[in-house]
Amino acid sequence: MKSRIPLVLLACGSFNPITNMHMRLFELARDHLHQTGRYRVIEGIISPVNDSYGKKGLVSARHRIAMAQLALETSDWIRVDPWESEQEKWTETVKVLRHHYNESLRSLQFRKELVRNNWHIERATEDFLSSLDPVSPELKLLCGADILKTFSTPNLWKEEHIKEIVEKFGLVCISRAGSDPVQYISESELLTQFQHNIHLVTEQIQNEISATHIRHALCKGLSVKYLIPDSVISYIKHYNIYTEESEGKIKGI
Amino acid sequence: MHYKVCGCDSEVLHLDLWLQGNPMENPDNKTQVVLLACGSFNPITNMHLRLFELAKDYLHETGKYNVIKGIISPVGDAYKKKSLISANHRVTMAKLATESSDWVQVDDWESSQNEWLETLKVLRYHHQKLASSNPANSLQNAVPLIKPGRKRKQEANRYIPVKKNQLSPETKGVPQLKLLCGADMLESFGIPNLWKLEDITEIVANHGLVCITRAGNNAQKFIYESDTLWQHKNNIHLVEEWITNDISSTKIRRALRRGQSVRYLVPDAVRAYIEKYNLYSPESEDRNAEVILAPLQKYARGCKQEQTL
């Protein structure tokens, strides 16, 4: 029986704030990849963007990380990683991918060392045993299918970065039912060349919770319950994070 | 206590406000509203819960209403809808789902009845319950305007007796009970033999609807095309939802049958409960497959001429 390739999903973005939809993307991606029979998703990583990204309304990474942590408390496979947000300046997505890929290689190496040195393992958990797999995990970028479209926006991405992302890593793109991401691929030679490494997943259960709408609702005192976790709502209220001021807008504009 | 209504900060109780009703219960003189949602809740999802939040925000923003409670009333098993699992489970899941809510609760009266009940009957039951638990309205079957301080004996002549089960919704002190629904329920009014015309009329006339719709939806057109609904359109509140939320129970059940994750679409406690009891399977989906839906059975039997909505 051919063993499955271990896979890590990485999602980059503002997470301003994290929503149920962000977390849903991971669940969808994992289900899809498992159903191909070829992969075993071992981890999900949320990497909130650095403050110096400068996007309007972006609140401090400290808060965005804290909220993501609260949201992911109940998840046993998705975690938030602060590395990207802790860098001195904004980091291109491909560099974030490289960093996490290297990290997963290092931890695999470390585990192999443990075994080789016959260190005593208290409990050989299934996860641990499977992590001894000689196959190093693949790392794929999890995103909305609209990212494919942005690849063709001039000057937004470096061509060589797109190539590295789709060739060396791979994409898992979630799109909503009724949309056709295939056309974005066919419109690009580069994407067409590596289409085998672009996994398209359709979300049949629409649940488009835009973080922008969440912030606007919070500013207006409207409810966002059941759209983002209760723990995140409490945190936002406690620190009064999203306000007209944080949105950088003046009423009427 | 400050009475912002009259624009002053005096702490003295203003007589005219006092006469209008117990100010402790209704300090800003807004109409109190209770939202009632009927449905299968098979299972309850984040979308169901969102309906309440959207409705409350909308009504509050009008400045005229104060939503004080939300009630989820799962339908009884006798409804005989395909794939409907036991009411016990559906009620339990709804309770798990509303644990974190300080204003929405679950009521199992409807689900514990032996026979299927029309929505109007559920509305009447809850309205009666609200009326009888209201201290300002301790006398049943009355349409009073109680002035505090007056002796009850003197008030006796002032009561206008009304038919049982038809307490006027304008009874002071009793919150208005409105039916909360999605556009699909509104449009189901048009399905032959599903609703009685007189029920629909009483629902919109005496209670009111709060209907959550998607942008560009047909709800407005549907109301326009119905004489009954049009007549009471002031009592039908259409609330646009600002995110596309299509978390239908049908899709949830489908995902579960296929071993797919429903995390973040239903509350975690509900997901855990479903997993624990393995509630949804191909078998459960086939329940009632050969049976006719209760209202269709009921109305088709006693059927008369076509009624125009």
Side-chain angles (χ1 to χ4, degrees), chain B residues 92-231:
Chain B
T92 304
M93 288 189 284
K95 285 182 175 167
L96 287 169
T98 50
E99 247 164 23
S100 72
S101 176
D102 59 3
W103 68 285
V104 183
Q105 57 199 211
V106 180
D107 190 281
D108 62 4
W109 177 81
E110 181 184 357
S111 63
S112 55
Q113 302 307 303
N114 285 328
E115 282 189 5
W116 170 71
L117 287 181
E118 288 93 331
T119 303
L120 176 62
K121 295 205 170 108
V122 184
L123 272 164
R124 285 179 185 158
Y125 166 79
H126 282 285
H127 186 240
Q128 191 128 21
K129 208 171 153 197
L130 285 170
S132 57
S133 69
N134 189 296
N137 201 36
S138 50
L139 284 162
Q140 295 272 337
N141 302 332
V143 185
L145 192 64
I146 296 181
K147 300 215 187 312
R150 296 261 188 112
K151 292 209 164 61
R152 284 208 192 139
K153 214 166 30 168
Q154 287 177 312
E155 292 280 29
N157 301 332
R158 301 172 58 87
Y159 292 134
I160 306 155
V162 289
K163 278 211 308 255
K164 205 164 184 215
N165 292 333
Q166 278 182 9
L167 276 168
S168 163
E170 294 314 312
T171 311
K172 280 286 179 194
V174 180
Q176 281 186 15
L177 180 67
K178 297 194 183 304
L179 188 62
L180 171 66
C181 61
D184 55 335
M185 181 185 273
L186 177 70
E187 291 178 29
S188 80
F189 285 169
I191 297 174
N193 294 325
L194 194 58
W195 298 81
K196 278 195 284 209
L197 181 59
E198 66 229 43
D199 282 14
I200 296 172
T201 311
E202 191 175 326
I203 290 172
V204 293
N206 288 4
H207 300 281
L209 283 181
V210 183
C211 179
I212 316 294
T213 67
R214 224 154 286 167
N217 182 270
N218 289 328
Q220 271 179 331
K221 179 162 176 264
F222 187 78
I223 294 171
Y224 166 74
E225 287 175 355
S226 153
D227 288 344
T228 306
L229 298 180
W230 182 256
Q231 189 185 355

Side-chain angles (χ1 to χ4, degrees), chain A:
Chain A
M1 173 105 79
K2 191 172 158 197
S3 67
R4 291 172 175 237
I5 302 167
L7 192 152
V8 175
L9 291 166
L10 171 74
C12 298
S14 306
F15 300 101
N16 186 35
I18 192 166
T19 71
N20 284 349
M21 193 187 77
H22 290 132
M23 297 184 286
R24 175 90 187 121
L25 297 186
F26 280 87
E27 299 286 310
L28 274 168
R30 182 168 74 157
D31 279 348
H32 174 90
L33 292 164
H34 282 184
Q35 272 165 355
T36 65
R38 292 187 307 210
Y39 300 102
R40 183 172 42 84
V41 178
I42 60 173
E43 189 178 47
I45 304 173
I46 282 187
S47 176
V49 79
N50 195 291
D51 285 336
S52 59
Y53 186 50
K55 196 169 175 184
K56 184 158 163 271
L58 193 69
V59 304
S60 146
R62 174 186 131 234
H63 285 315
R64 292 181 288 117
I65 299 265
M67 290 187 286
Q69 274 168 343
L70 286 168
L72 295 169
E73 250 164 20
T74 58
S75 178
D76 62 359
W77 68 285
I78 311 169
R79 66 180 180 86
V80 59
D81 193 287
W83 180 84
E84 183 181 352
S85 67
E86 287 167 354
Q87 299 313 297
E88 297 238 332
K89 55 183 174 63
W90 174 68
T91 315
E92 286 105 324
T93 304
V94 73
K95 291 181 180 155
V96 182
L97 280 162
R98 287 178 198 156
H99 164 79
H100 287 287
Y101 183 70
N102 292 335
E103 283 297 297
S104 73
L105 280 183
R106 284 203 315 157
S107 83
L108 179 67
Q109 198 56 32
F110 175 68
R111 286 196 293 269
K112 283 180 177 168
E113 295 282 331
L114 277 181
V115 172
R116 201 179 319 137
N117 296 335
N118 281 324
W119 284 18
H120 179 60
I121 315 287
E122 291 270 342
R123 225 184 314 160
T125 62
E126 193 189 298
D127 271 339
F128 178 81
L129 289 172
S130 58
S131 73
L132 300 180
D133 207 329
V135 179
S136 52
E138 288 190 17
L139 175 68
K140 296 200 185 304
L141 185 65
L142 170 65
C143 55
D146 49 332
I147 291 283
L148 293 174
K149 201 170 159 198
T150 71
F151 281 164
S152 56
T153 306
N155 300 325
L156 191 57
W157 299 83
K158 287 204 188 110
E159 191 78 5
E160 63 255 31
H161 284 180
I162 301 177
K163 181 161 189 277
E164 188 176 338
I165 291 172
V166 294
E167 183 180 18
K168 187 170 177 213
F169 300 104
L171 293 175
V172 183
C173 297
I174 319 287
S175 58
R176 67 185 103 90
S179 72
D180 182 26
V182 179
Q183 69 174 43
Y184 300 143
I185 296 177
S186 54
E187 281 167 7
S188 153
E189 268 183 42
L190 190 55
L191 296 182
T192 304
Q193 190 186 353
F194 296 106
Q195 60 185 298
H196 58 276
N197 217 6
I198 301 174
H199 301 263
L200 297 175
V201 186
T202 308
E203 163 67 295
Q204 298 290 352
I205 307 178
Q206 273 189 64
N207 186 29
E208 281 157 56
I209 307 173
S210 116
T212 305
H213 276 145
I214 298 286
R215 297 195 304 275
H216 289 170
L218 288 164
C219 284
K220 291 188 251 183
L222 300 175
S223 166
V224 296
K225 200 166 163 70
Y226 313 115
L227 300 175
I228 69 179
D230 283 347
S231 54
V232 178
I233 297 176
S234 301
Y235 184 93
I236 291 171
K237 291 211 158 99
H238 182 76
Y239 290 101
N240 196 29
I241 298 179
Y242 293 110
T243 59
E244 298 274 322
E245 208 182 6
S246 74
E247 284 293 282
K249 63 181 180 207
I250 306 159
K251 247 190 158 90
I253 290 181

